[in-house]
Amino acid sequence: MGKRILHFLTLILVPLTLNAQGRPEEFVKTDTIGKKKNIKFIGLPIAFYTPETEFGVGGGGQMFLLNNTNQYNQRLSNILFSGIYTTAGQIMFNVTPQVYLGKGDYFIDADYLFEIYPNSFWGIGPETPEENEEFYEQTTHKVKLRFLKRLPPDLNFGLTYNFANHQVTEVLSGGLLDSGDILGADRTVISGIGAEFNLDTRNNTGSPTNGQLFEIGAHFSSPILGATHGFNKFTLDLRNYAPVGTWGTLATQIFVENNFGDVPFQGMAFFGGSNSARGYFYGRFLDKNMYVVQAEYRYQFKPRWKLAAFGLFGSVAGDAQDLLRFNSLKPGYGAGVRFKLLKEQGTWLRLDIGNGKDGQNGIYFGINEAF
């Protein structure tokens, strides 16, 4: 009976990983595929839960290109696609090719997203009141292209192109988005190039127990390339994973985002979500600048079970120097449990409960660690 239940969970509850932004991001990947064929295809049912989407279900697939392998970490070139419907009325379709060239010395990473997304908006700034909440609906087409060059042994550097067309299709009559004072309240096009650099020594990208990640990015949106607003975005992501005893791991992260120029609300920093600030609705607070500091202790008390406890604090602000104002500090804390799906793979189901300031809270169910 136990084996039957595990098999059912593997087939039905294999969801997409949820990103810092509270959206599904990528399928579970496997390194156990045989090399007898050039192409391998697997179908993947999807199930997950976040406060922003409520329950999400759908399906998709992953096609592996078995002759295109990053020989440095044995990751296979692949193409992911998914279709999702949530009980909050959201529809999402996503295609993500990831192709390694030159034995892994070059990496092409592309992402296309189409979504119809009912959402909530409270205004801009660190102190927007709860009673400001209004609902809106938005249709989005988004494309991101990355071309990275590996600099041995653990450095990666490259260029990016970002495009997004956000069409707001429904707003609350007489509300904040209907006032005409919010940039992007009707339509936003983001289009621009950027650069990314990272140093990644993690022993596992989904559930690391050792190593570091240092990542910095600069992205520019310009009317010259068809954007409706010109602005610059800079991000810094610092992570460290330190073993504690035989079975414990202390994970820490500092994430900073700064935006300059005429920033539409869709391009601002969103505080909250299933990864960066659990306990807060993704986008409950948003502004041009944001930082989040979080730490999590993970304890593997059995070969396929872990417990976790986390704490965090951060804020958003229109001016970067106002980020350190303690009266707008937003703390959070919570705990969770993880279950390893298969003995031979490092893929973990994650269930977290997070709590924030002024009664904010959330339940998060997905795959692998938050960061």
Side-chain angles (χ1 to χ4, degrees), residues 277-279 294-297 307-312 331-338 351-356 362 364:
R278 285 164 288 178
Q294 59 178 335
E296 180 170 277
Y297 176 71
L307 294 175
F310 61 88
L312 64 97
Y333 65 94
V337 63
R338 289 92 173 93
L351 176 63
D352 285 332
I353 298 176
N355 296 275
Y364 307 90

Side-chain angles (χ1 to χ4, degrees), residues 41-102:
F41 177 83
I42 57 174
L44 295 170
I46 302 164
F48 61 92
Y49 182 90
T50 72
E52 299 81 27
T53 61
E54 300 177 0
F55 283 102
V57 295
Q62 186 170 21
M63 182 174 70
F64 292 90
L65 310 178
L66 302 182
N67 290 335
N68 294 83
T69 305
N70 184 339
Q71 296 187 4
Y72 302 102
N73 55 27
Q74 300 304 308
R75 296 174 188 170
L76 293 171
S77 296
N78 64 89
I79 301 173
L80 304 169
F81 63 90
S82 65
I84 298 168
Y85 176 79
T86 75
T87 54
Q90 296 135 350
I91 298 172
M92 292 170 273
F93 177 73
N94 190 224
V95 179
T96 306
Q98 297 178 324
V99 180
Y100 295 98
L101 304 173

Side-chain angles (χ1 to χ4, degrees), residues 94-115:
N94 190 224
V95 179
T96 306
Q98 297 178 324
V99 180
Y100 295 98
L101 304 173
K103 299 181 180 181
D105 289 313
Y106 297 91
F107 178 47
I108 297 174
D109 183 15
D111 189 5
Y112 169 73
L113 172 68
F114 167 76
E115 64 181 11

Side-chain angles (χ1 to χ4, degrees), residues 16 19 55 71 112 151 164 243 245 305 362:
L16 297 174
N19 70 17
F55 283 102
Q71 296 187 4
Y112 169 73
L151 304 175
W305 289 93

Side-chain angles (χ1 to χ4, degrees), residues 250-302:
L250 178 62
T252 55
Q253 181 190 33
I254 300 174
F255 180 82
V256 180
E257 179 176 335
N258 303 110
N259 293 277
F260 304 92
D262 296 326
V263 189
F265 81 90
Q266 296 95 334
M268 290 184 172
F270 279 56
F271 187 87
S274 63
N275 292 351
S276 65
R278 285 164 288 178
Y280 294 87
F281 189 98
Y282 177 66
R284 172 59 185 87
F285 301 98
L286 68 158
D287 214 319
K288 289 184 176 182
N289 302 280
M290 178 183 76
Y291 78 96
V292 178
V293 178
Q294 59 178 335
E296 180 170 277
Y297 176 71
R298 302 158 186 168
Y299 178 69
Q300 186 172 347
F301 64 97
K302 287 188 176 181

